[in-house]
Amino acid sequence: MKSLAALFAVVVSCLGPTAAATLHEADAAYDQGNYAAAAEQYQVAAEQGDINAQRKLGALFSSGRGVRQDYAQSAKWYRLAADQGDPSAQASLGYAYETGQGVAQNYAEAIKWYHASAEQGYYMGQSNLGHMYEQGRGVAQDYKEAARLYRLAAEQGNAWSQAQLAGLYNAGKGVAQDHAQAFTLYKLAAEQGNAFAQNSMGYLLETGQGGAQDHAEAAKWYRLAADQGNAYAQGNLGAMYQHGRGVKQDYKEAARWYRLAADQKEARAQHNLGQLYFYGQGVAQDHKQAVQWYRLAAEQGSRDGQTSLGYMYDLGQGVAQDYKEAVKWYRLAAEQGSATAQRNLGILYSNGNGAPKNAVAAYALWNVSATTDASSANPAPQNRNAIAKTLSQEEIEQGQALTTELMAAGNFLKALDNHVLKADPNYMRPVILP
């Protein structure tokens, strides 16, 4: 009996070092970029129950390095390590449940694992759990709790959490609004190479929020993020070149950066590239190309894209003139608060182009436009005053009442259509895009 116990002890003592040695070999192979060899060695150690090997094997299956990408296998190995209490594996398993990678999407399970990781002080568990609270995924939305968790991770130097906490300070969500504090946190993250934070730094410097306005510095941060492929930064850098802010005005460079962002489906860049084609700035003037880019932006819900596309149909530039199409796009943009679309829609209702002729509707639309944009560049007040001379007092009162209805939140198109329907029972409401 004693000899059997001694033999068992020898076997057990050999297993530990063997797993450790295998893990060491796997780590060395990984560091050399030999991911296939690393995966084989991690598998051996993981099957012996090594918690680090299980976690690392899960990461390889998730990324597809050295093995065929397999999220189900990744989740399997993460779970084995997570069940042993590994905080990194717990956070990774939580992410699998949040995104539905390798497991059925389940926010409650994601929160459970994020919470287990966060309780051990692991920054990724804290930051991901904070994000769930910020977005209200699987829990009641709670910006204060999100800020608390982001702060814990940010204090460990996590750039993503620093950037997320900065966003809360910038918006005043869960914390008192503080642009200076947002600036400080964004800078900490940006200096670590976080592209989102770099773009945000650019924006704060461009607008002067949180510090002195500095267009040259803004362009510098935009470029750092843009070089990492951040679409928003590419669009912002394009705007700096278009308008000569912080850099020498260069329409070709503007077009180049806008195109990079537009190809990533960034709606504002798509619209702005369309503008360059419309005016022939940095590219050969091409109204058909302008329409193409305006449409891509408009179909994503871009107010400016919808306004510009409506304008092209209104005037028949780059596309066959079609007042009904112009009305359709102007309506969508006007509902989103475009003073230009509101004004141009008023013109179409005034003339009965693409919509029933309705002077009261035109009066109200110009009234709304004048309120939306009170600058002297907006001719809506002159249009309103001119048509008012043709209206009766009763019609003016109707126009003023309609103005109030149009400006009520979420009521623009409903109020406009109800008014026109009263005047013309045969009026067919335009189909509103989803």
Side-chain angles (χ1 to χ4, degrees):
M1 180 68 72
K2 186 175 181 181
S3 61
L4 286 174
L7 178 62
F8 180 75
V10 170
V11 171
V12 171
S13 68
C14 290
L15 284 176
T18 300
T22 303
L23 181 63
H24 178 74
E25 291 176 11
D27 286 340
Y30 184 93
D31 291 340
Q32 293 169 8
N34 190 347
Y35 301 122
E40 289 180 10
Q41 296 297 323
Y42 283 143
Q43 180 102 26
V44 172
E47 287 175 350
Q48 294 183 49
D50 187 279
I51 189 171
N52 292 313
Q54 290 168 343
R55 183 189 68 249
K56 292 177 179 181
L57 186 58
L60 289 181
F61 274 112
S62 178
S63 64
R65 285 181 169 181
V67 292
R68 181 178 59 83
Q69 190 175 53
D70 188 329
Y71 290 123
Q73 280 292 308
S74 175
K76 166 193 164 182
W77 291 109
Y78 279 146
R79 187 184 304 279
L80 288 170
D83 283 340
Q84 293 194 67
D86 184 273
S88 176
Q90 290 169 340
S92 296
L93 184 57
Y95 184 76
Y97 275 111
E98 181 185 352
T99 58
Q101 291 184 344
V103 293
Q105 189 177 53
N106 187 322
Y107 288 153
E109 278 292 298
I111 288 167
K112 181 185 85 173
W113 288 110
Y114 284 154
H115 196 271
S117 176
E119 281 192 329
Q120 296 192 63
Y122 187 61
Y123 72 90
M124 193 57 68
Q126 293 165 340
S127 61
N128 288 358
L129 185 58
H131 191 62
M132 299 296 275
Y133 274 105
E134 183 182 1
Q135 299 298 317
R137 291 179 181 169
V139 290
Q141 192 173 53
D142 188 335
Y143 292 120
K144 285 187 178 180
E145 183 63 7
R148 184 185 74 82
L149 289 160
Y150 284 149
R151 192 183 307 282
L152 290 171
E155 287 172 351
Q156 296 184 59
N158 179 251
W160 188 82
S161 299
Q162 290 166 343
Q164 293 301 112
L165 183 57
L168 294 182
Y169 271 109
N170 204 42
K173 292 180 176 179
V175 291
Q177 190 173 49
D178 188 335
H179 293 308
Q181 182 65 11
F183 184 92
T184 298
L185 287 162
Y186 276 138
K187 190 172 184 181
L188 286 172
E191 287 174 343
Q192 293 189 65
N194 183 278
F196 171 77
Q198 290 169 341
N199 179 62
S200 299
M201 276 289 291
Y203 178 78
L204 292 182
L205 286 160
E206 182 183 358
T207 58
Q209 293 182 24
Q213 189 176 52
D214 190 330
H215 287 161
E217 275 292 296
K220 181 193 84 172
W221 287 109
Y222 283 149
R223 190 182 304 279
L224 287 170
D227 284 341
Q228 292 194 63
N230 184 280
Y232 297 107
Q234 290 168 342
N236 288 335
L237 186 57
M240 301 299 271
Y241 275 109
Q242 181 181 3
H243 302 292
R245 291 197 293 262
V247 292
K248 183 180 178 181
Q249 190 175 51
D250 188 330
Y251 291 124
K252 285 187 178 180
E253 272 296 285
R256 183 173 78 87
W257 287 109
Y258 280 150
R259 191 179 303 278
L260 287 170
D263 286 342
Q264 294 192 65
K265 300 183 180 180
E266 207 285 295
R268 188 169 68 99
Q270 290 171 337
H271 172 260
N272 289 349
L273 183 57
Q275 291 287 80
L276 294 185
Y277 273 109
F278 181 83
Y279 291 107
Q281 295 174 328
V283 292
Q285 188 176 48
D286 187 332
H287 287 166
K288 288 185 178 180
Q289 277 287 307
V291 167
Q292 174 187 320
W293 289 110
Y294 289 154
R295 189 183 304 281
L296 288 171
E299 288 175 347
Q300 290 196 70
S302 164
R303 183 183 71 179
D304 291 339
Q306 292 165 348
T307 301
S308 295
L309 184 58
Y311 181 79
M312 301 301 272
Y313 276 111
D314 193 353
L315 299 187
Q317 293 187 328
V319 69
Q321 189 176 50
D322 188 330
Y323 289 128
K324 286 187 176 180
E325 277 293 297
V327 167
K328 180 181 82 172
W329 292 109
Y330 281 153
R331 281 166 55 90
L332 292 170
E335 184 182 32
Q336 292 194 68
S338 167
T340 300
Q342 292 161 353
R343 182 183 69 243
N344 291 351
L345 191 57
I347 294 171
L348 294 179
Y349 274 101
S350 174
N351 296 326
N353 291 332
K357 188 171 183 177
N358 193 302
V360 171
Y363 173 93
L365 286 164
W366 288 330
N367 221 8
V368 172
S369 177
T371 302
T372 304
D373 176 11
S375 72
S376 59
N378 185 3
Q382 290 90 332
N383 294 350
R384 176 199 60 204
N385 295 342
I387 204 170
K389 295 177 181 178
T390 70
L391 300 177
S392 67
Q393 183 59 38
E394 181 182 358
E395 287 173 324
I396 289 175
E397 290 173 0
Q398 289 175 1
Q400 291 170 341
L402 179 56
T403 299
T404 301
E405 292 178 30
L406 292 173
M407 295 183 71
N411 197 49
F412 187 90
L413 293 182
K414 180 180 178 181
L416 181 60
D417 288 342
N418 285 343
H419 170 79
V420 176
L421 188 60
K422 287 180 182 177
D424 181 1
N426 295 318
Y427 171 63
M428 296 291 290
R429 297 174 187 266
V431 175
I432 299 175
L433 295 178

